[in-house]
């Protein structure tokens, strides 16, 4: 597993671009997908698993909830920790029902984003694994 | 007249009801008996009348036919008079009387005279007339009423429907009586209606139910039916009376209202998503710009300016986010539809995070926060709503604090948590203290201070939604202290 690899799933290109730039500056390798379906295809076609998935909830084609249930059914992917990044004000309570390891509310501050990533991709054991 | 017959008449008189007078005549119509009650009715004592003819004493007997009936009795017939209204000459009383005339026999069965029982029925008749009048007044009222009325008896069967009901259903009283009305009720609602009615009926309790009733044009309309037990004057149960109003239009409006509330919720959810999405990349790009500019290249004047301006832009993007949040809160609060997502929450941690997040805003206001989170203050609250309360109070203090330090404290009491935010700014007059928690209110002019004027209103609404309260202590020029008191557990 590549500790410094992150997958970002969001249907907004501007968000994908800026998060990728920020994370790459910090030495992360970043894969992106614009919906849950694309994310699943990419995860299944790639031999290096990311150490974290940053997941938007409201997306076309396959939303964050559907992605989570697909992920839970796939033994290869089931254990990858997920942090939800959503504009929903109740993201925290929704994150609880999604059984993810973290949540960030949009708009998220850069430092907050980096702190959460560091916690999951750092040298220590990432939470939720 | 035979003394034995007189004695019999006295016995008969004693057996008569109160108010019944008894008199007797011989075959020549001369009065031979005049009972005590006759004295009361006709105002003449027996010594004044005995021995005179009945017609002589009561001249109106000719006109009323009473004389003829006495003669028929003398011929061996029993004759009822029916009711007669007349004025008694001696007493001048107008009354209603009925009389019965019978032959008088001696021991050998020979007719020796006739007797007449006179009954004063004036009051009985007046009561009956009054009853008829009351009943017809009730019927007139019932039929003129815009609501549908029904009545049932002690056997729970319906006995009355007003004209409004009959016009509504287009059926006759005969069709509706008993359980006929059940044919008008929608078959899906009927079992429920009968169950409610029977349960209320056996408990003699009022009831209320909604069901669909078929109108004359075949359309089913929702009606609200309210029934109540009826009791007679002596307290005995007499059945039920009920009234129905057509609430179909109201029901439809309610359904449309629910739909529009749902539409609005959907819209708000989409709007919040759409507004925050560009804010997210904007904020991250600006923060990246600050970081890049601080990191790269030689220390130059341009670099300083870029960092300074981008930092300002970051603060404005954060303010924009707060405003988006305000707008969403306001539209939810204004419609009274706020659902709290309660969970175990540490108020001290929330204040700590908010203070941390607003440090840059404080710096720009030339102020600082003083907060020392000594211990956790736990309660079951809605975290994001509580964050709004804290953020709004903090930005309020920065806005009106004239750059002086803002002190924040939290403490736990037995069953409450207390949050206090104290500034040393312009202060608030007593008059303004009453207004500032209202909507679109601010104590100072909008020209000098920006914002919706909704921050404190939102604070109050959210705190009250949690069952808490907020108050302010202040005087002009002496700063202000806002104190929030929150129950730590939701009240049952």
């Amino acid at each position: 597993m590549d500790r410094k690899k992150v997958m970002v799933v969001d249907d907004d290109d501007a968000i994908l671009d800026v998060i990728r730039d920020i994370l790459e500056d910090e030495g992360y390798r970043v894969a992106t997908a614009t919906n849950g379906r694309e994310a699943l295809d990419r995860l299944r076609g790639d031999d290096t698993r990311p150490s974290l998935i940053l997941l938007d909830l409201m997306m076309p084609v396959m939303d964050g909830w559907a992605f989570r249930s697909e992920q839970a059914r796939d033994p290869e992917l089931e254990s990858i920790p997920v942090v939800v990044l959503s504009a929903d004000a109740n993201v925290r309570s929704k994150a609880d029902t999604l059984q993810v390891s973290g949540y960030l509310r949009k708009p998220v501050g850069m430092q907050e984003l980096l702190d959460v990533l560091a916690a999951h991709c750092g040298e220590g054991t990432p939470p939720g694994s | 007249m035979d003394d034995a017959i007189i004695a019999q008449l006295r016995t008969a008189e004693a057996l008569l009801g109160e108010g019944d007078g008894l008199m007797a005549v011989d075959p020549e119509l001369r009065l031979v008996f005049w009972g005590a009650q006759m004295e009361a009715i006709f105002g003449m004592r027996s010594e004044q009348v005995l021995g005179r003819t009945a017609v002589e004493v009561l001249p109106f007997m000719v006109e009323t036919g009473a004389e003829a009936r006495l003669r028929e009795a003398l011929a061996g017939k029993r004759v009822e008079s029916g009711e007669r209204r007349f004025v008694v000459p001696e007493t001048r009383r107008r009354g209603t009387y009925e009389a019965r005339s019978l032959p008088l026999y001696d021991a050998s069965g020979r007719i020796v005279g006739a007797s007449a029982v006179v009954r004063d029925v004036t009051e009985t008749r007046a009561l009956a007339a009054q009853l008829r009048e009351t009943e017809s007044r009730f019927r007139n009222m019932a039929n003129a009423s815009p609501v549908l009325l029904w009545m049932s008896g002690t056997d729970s069967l319906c006995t009355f429907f007003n004209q409004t009901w009959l016009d509504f259903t287009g059926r006759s009283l005969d069709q509706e009586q008993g359980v006929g009305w059940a044919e008008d009720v929608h078959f899906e609602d009927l079992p429920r209606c009968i169950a409610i009615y029977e349960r209320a009926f056996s408990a003699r309790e009022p009831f209320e139910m909604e069901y669909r009733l078929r109108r004359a044009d075949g359309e089913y309309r929702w009606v609200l039916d309210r029934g109540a037990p009826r009791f007679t004057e002596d307290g005995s149960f007499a059945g039920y009376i009920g009234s129905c109003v057509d609430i179909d239009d109201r029901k439809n409006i309610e359904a449309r209202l629910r739909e529009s509330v749902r539409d609005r919720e959907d819209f708000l959810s989409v709007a919040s998503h759409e507004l925050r999405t560009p804010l997210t990349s904007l904020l991250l790009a600006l923060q990246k710009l600050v970081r890049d500019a601080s990191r790269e290249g030689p220390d130059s004047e341009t670099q300083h300016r870029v960092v300074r301006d981008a930092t300002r832009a970051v603060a404005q993007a954060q303010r924009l986010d707060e405003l988006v949040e305000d707008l969403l809160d306001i539209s939810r609060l204004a419609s009274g539809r706020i659902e709290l997502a309660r969970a175990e929450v540490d108020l001290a941690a929330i204040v700590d995070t908010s203070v941390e997040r607003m440090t840059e805003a404080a710096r720009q206001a030339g102020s600082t926060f003083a907060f020392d989170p000594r211990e956790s203050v736990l309660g079951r609250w809605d975290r994001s709503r509580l964050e709004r309360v804290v953020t709004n109070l903090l930005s309020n203090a920065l806005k009106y604090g004239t750059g002086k330090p803002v002190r924040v404290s939290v403490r736990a009491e037995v069953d409450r948590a207390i949050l206090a935010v104290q500034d040393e700014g312009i202060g608030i007059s007593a008059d303004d203290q009453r207004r500032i928690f209202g909507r679109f209110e601010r104590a100072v002019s909008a020209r000098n201070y920006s914002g919706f004027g909704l921050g404190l209103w939102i604070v109050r609404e959210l705190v009250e939604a949690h069952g808490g309260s907020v108050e302010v202590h202040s005087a002009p020029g002496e700063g202000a202290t806002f104190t929030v008191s929150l129950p730590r557990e939701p009240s049952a």
Side-chain angles (χ1 to χ4, degrees):
Chain A
M1 181 166 77
D2 187 343
R3 279 235 182 273
K4 294 285 266 182
K5 184 174 177 184
V6 175
M7 173 170 266
V8 186
V9 191
D10 199 304
D11 61 325
D12 189 83
D13 286 338
I15 290 178
L16 287 182
D17 288 347
V18 71
I19 289 181
R20 180 200 284 118
D21 288 351
I22 289 171
L23 297 188
E24 283 179 354
D25 279 359
E26 295 290 321
Y28 290 96
R29 291 204 295 125
V30 181
T32 59
T34 56
N35 63 61
R37 170 56 51 207
E38 207 182 301
L40 284 174
D41 290 347
R42 204 146 288 179
L43 286 166
R44 283 166 183 160
D46 201 337
D47 42 338
T48 52
R49 287 173 17 133
S51 44
L52 182 74
I53 297 170
L54 202 56
L55 180 69
D56 187 19
L57 290 181
M58 277 168 75
M59 290 179 293
V61 186
M62 181 189 281
D63 64 20
W65 288 275
F67 172 82
R68 279 296 286 163
S69 54
E70 287 286 322
Q71 189 196 357
R73 274 201 287 273
D74 188 331
E76 294 291 312
L77 307 179
E78 178 246 343
S79 64
I80 305 174
V82 170
V83 168
V84 163
L85 173 61
S86 168
D88 197 310
N90 294 321
V91 58
R92 185 181 288 249
S93 56
K94 287 192 177 156
D96 287 346
T97 66
L98 282 165
Q99 299 197 307
V100 291
S101 38
Y103 44 84
L104 290 166
R105 196 181 72 77
K106 289 181 184 172
V108 61
M110 185 173 70
Q111 199 50 53
E112 201 184 346
L113 176 68
L114 291 175
D115 288 349
V116 167
L117 258 70
H120 285 88
C121 309
E123 289 308 306
T125 311
S129 68
Chain B
M1 181 77 49
D2 192 322
D3 278 352
I5 293 175
I6 298 296
Q8 275 177 19
L9 285 167
R10 286 204 195 290
T11 310
E13 188 193 18
L15 294 173
L16 287 172
E18 203 182 323
D20 289 349
L22 180 63
M23 68 174 192
V25 293
D26 65 12
E28 280 74 48
L29 293 186
R30 275 193 302 270
L31 285 158
V32 293
F33 184 85
W34 186 258
Q37 194 55 37
M38 292 300 276
E39 295 185 6
I41 294 173
F42 293 104
M44 287 177 284
R45 294 198 309 281
S46 57
E47 53 266 38
Q48 294 174 272
V49 303
L50 289 180
R52 298 163 66 195
T53 67
V55 176
E56 212 180 308
V57 171
L58 306 169
F60 55 82
M61 284 182 69
V62 181
E63 194 189 328
T64 62
E67 183 207 6
R69 284 192 294 277
L70 271 183
R71 289 194 191 283
E72 283 182 62
L74 285 171
K77 284 185 180 166
R78 302 166 61 99
V79 204
E80 307 270 348
S81 79
E83 283 176 29
R84 290 282 186 278
R85 281 177 67 75
F86 55 82
V87 179
V88 177
E90 306 297 321
T91 60
R92 298 185 178 278
R93 174 178 146 88
R94 172 179 285 279
T96 307
Y97 304 89
E98 60 183 23
R100 184 189 306 160
S101 304
L102 304 166
L104 266 181
Y105 302 93
D106 68 4
S108 62
R110 195 166 51 94
I111 295 176
V112 293
S115 69
V117 179
V118 181
R119 176 172 292 172
D120 185 343
V121 293
T122 314
E123 271 180 34
T124 319
R125 291 302 162 261
L127 275 174
Q130 215 176 335
L131 198 65
R132 276 195 305 276
E133 156 71 11
T134 309
E135 242 182 51
S136 97
R137 199 184 310 151
F138 165 75
R139 260 161 231 276
N140 285 337
M141 265 171 53
N143 288 334
S145 160
V147 300
L148 285 60
L149 294 174
W150 56 265
M151 271 204 285
S152 62
T154 50
D155 53 4
S156 88
L157 296 176
C158 284
T159 53
F160 171 80
F161 294 88
N162 69 347
Q163 196 55 46
T164 320
W165 175 294
L166 301 176
D167 290 346
F168 184 94
T169 59
R171 283 155 56 97
S172 69
L173 187 58
D174 281 346
Q175 286 174 302
E176 300 293 55
Q177 266 176 338
V179 290
W181 56 270
E183 291 167 27
D184 308 328
V185 176
H186 196 286
F187 73 96
E188 286 173 9
D189 302 336
L190 188 60
R192 181 173 49 86
C193 287
I194 290 174
I196 292 173
Y197 179 53
E198 284 181 347
R199 194 169 51 241
F201 196 93
S202 54
R204 307 283 189 257
E205 278 172 353
F207 66 86
E208 213 178 279
M209 60 193 185
E210 291 178 6
Y211 55 86
R212 282 161 290 179
L213 188 67
R214 193 178 52 221
R215 201 166 56 182
D217 62 6
E219 190 190 326
Y220 280 96
R221 305 278 295 177
W222 279 101
V223 295
L224 170 65
D225 193 340
R226 287 198 183 92
R230 299 183 290 130
F231 296 97
T232 58
E233 222 163 86
D234 64 6
S236 59
F237 175 65
Y240 268 69
I241 183 163
S243 66
C244 308
V245 280
D246 186 335
I247 54 164
D248 206 67
D249 293 338
R250 200 186 77 193
K251 277 236 172 220
N252 287 332
I253 290 169
E254 279 171 3
R256 276 206 298 277
L257 204 63
R258 274 195 300 276
E259 209 170 290
S260 72
V261 167
R262 212 168 33 240
D263 285 352
R264 211 221 18 223
E265 282 298 307
D266 289 348
F267 169 77
L268 285 177
S269 166
V270 170
S272 96
H273 185 261
E274 292 303 308
L275 289 167
R276 282 182 182 133
T277 299
L279 267 175
T280 305
S281 43
L282 175 65
L283 187 64
L284 286 173
L286 287 170
Q287 287 175 331
K288 182 173 180 301
L289 180 61
V290 173
R291 189 185 63 175
D292 291 351
S294 319
R295 245 186 214 166
E296 301 292 318
D299 206 23
S300 72
E301 178 61 22
T302 313
Q303 188 194 358
H304 278 305
R305 285 187 183 190
V306 169
V307 170
R308 184 194 63 199
D309 293 344
T311 305
R312 282 179 185 153
V314 166
Q316 294 313 302
Q318 278 165 339
R319 247 193 77 201
L320 206 51
D321 178 43
E322 301 286 316
L323 289 175
V324 168
E325 195 78 21
D326 275 356
L327 274 177
L328 299 175
D329 272 351
I330 290 153
S331 41
R332 290 209 177 90
L333 287 169
S335 64
R337 279 174 55 92
I338 188 139
E339 278 169 31
L340 300 180
R342 287 182 192 265
E344 182 88 347
V345 168
D346 179 5
L347 178 59
I350 286 179
V351 172
D352 201 32
T353 316
S354 304
V355 163
E356 181 72 34
R357 195 153 37 80
M358 291 180 69
T359 303
E360 176 56 24
R363 203 187 56 74
Q364 288 187 11
S367 177
T368 52
F369 290 118
F371 177 61
D372 181 13
R374 286 209 193 90
E375 55 190 20
S376 299
V377 177
L378 297 174
R380 289 190 58 78
W381 302 306
D382 182 319
R383 172 185 295 274
S384 62
R385 265 56 188 257
L386 220 48
E387 282 170 358
R388 299 294 306 146
V389 169
V390 173
T391 310
N392 283 10
L393 288 176
L394 293 184
S395 54
N396 198 68
L398 289 181
K399 201 156 151 190
Y400 299 107
T402 61
K404 308 244 180 60
V406 173
R407 267 194 294 281
V408 189
S409 67
V410 292
R411 66 173 199 275
E413 292 185 352
V414 182
D415 53 358
R416 304 184 82 77
I418 309 293
L419 160 72
V421 177
Q422 184 182 6
D423 69 63
E424 295 168 20
I426 58 173
I428 310 157
S429 73
D431 269 359
D432 289 336
Q433 287 177 28
R434 277 189 283 278
R435 297 194 295 117
I436 51 170
F437 292 105
R439 238 198 293 188
F440 306 115
E441 294 283 4
R442 55 162 69 70
V444 292
S445 82
R447 215 169 301 161
N448 298 330
Y449 291 89
S450 59
F452 292 128
L454 285 160
L456 292 176
W457 178 72
I458 292 172
V459 167
R460 195 198 63 191
E461 293 286 319
L462 292 179
V463 166
E464 286 178 358
H466 279 88
S469 62
V470 56
E471 52 186 54
V472 59
H473 293 283
S474 181
E478 290 175 19
T481 304
F482 287 85
T483 309
V484 171
S485 167
L486 284 171
R488 296 171 71 177
E489 292 290 328
S491 52

